[in-house]
Amino acid sequence: MARWCLLVGGYLALDHIELRQVVAAGRLHDIGKFGVGAAILRKTDPLTDAEWGALRCHPAEGARLLRGVGGHAALAPLVAAHHERWDGLGYPEGLKGEDIPLGARIIAVCDSWAAMRVDRPYAPALDARSARDEIERARGTQFDPIVVDAFLALLDQDLIDDPLPL
């Protein structure tokens, strides 16, 4: 995750400080899941509305945790917004377009690639072509088009590899 964030951020010419932040936030983006509970995270059946509600709190909870740790406050907005969507239909705030921090938009694409490419309790991994197609399909709705273009360019250059299994 962090390496992919570094590659995409570099491709998009982020400055040194922004690169460091997106890499660190990429490593910590799901820290808020510690408060969700293993039963929900490992569930194979569809989540109930209450379980979805608990899961959707993890970006805000992760941001809250990071604001309380010295030197990590700058990462909080990236972690808080990594499930926002380009079209405004994401969570927790319903941010849209460039109101979403660029680092969070980068994390969103990289996180989605990772999620699709490994087996999950609720779904088997997608092959690389299907995952690529899904990211391309979500360009301009779920994902920032420039971030998708950068990610796919790096993928086409074989610079984006498969994630490690969970």
Side-chain angles (χ1 to χ4, degrees):
M1 244 325 267
R3 188 170 90 67
W4 303 334
C5 289
L6 176 66
L7 289 167
V8 175
Y11 191 94
L12 295 174
L14 270 61
D15 67 37
H16 179 72
I17 293 170
E18 292 170 314
L19 277 176
R20 288 175 54 101
Q21 289 174 343
V22 75
V23 168
R27 286 186 180 116
L28 298 170
H29 72 282
D30 276 342
I31 194 168
K33 283 187 177 179
F34 283 113
V36 172
I40 293 173
L41 296 175
R42 293 188 181 130
K43 189 171 179 183
T44 57
D45 297 327
L47 298 179
T48 66
D49 289 344
E51 290 166 336
W52 267 115
L55 185 60
R56 288 182 177 198
C57 289
H58 87 270
E61 176 62 13
R64 185 191 69 75
L65 290 169
L66 291 172
R67 281 192 290 275
V69 177
H72 288 77
L75 308 180
L78 306 183
V79 169
H82 80 275
H83 280 291
E84 299 290 358
R85 290 175 48 119
W86 187 250
D87 60 12
L89 299 177
Y91 62 90
E93 301 294 327
L95 299 177
K96 182 178 185 176
E98 292 186 4
D99 290 340
I100 306 165
L102 179 55
R105 291 180 264 152
I106 291 169
I107 292 167
V109 173
C110 295
D111 186 36
S112 292
W113 174 258
M116 289 186 280
R117 293 291 292 133
V118 298
D119 288 327
R120 299 293 179 132
Y122 51 86
L126 295 180
D127 62 79
R129 181 77 222 173
S130 296
R132 185 192 197 288
D133 290 348
E134 183 63 22
I135 286 174
E136 196 164 18
R137 184 199 60 74
R139 182 185 185 278
T141 56
Q142 183 175 355
F143 303 127
D144 177 347
I146 67 161
V147 175
V148 169
D149 292 347
F151 186 88
L152 295 179
L154 293 161
L155 188 63
D156 290 344
Q157 295 171 43
D158 291 326
L159 295 172
I160 303 292
D161 52 1
D162 283 333
L164 296 172
L166 296 177

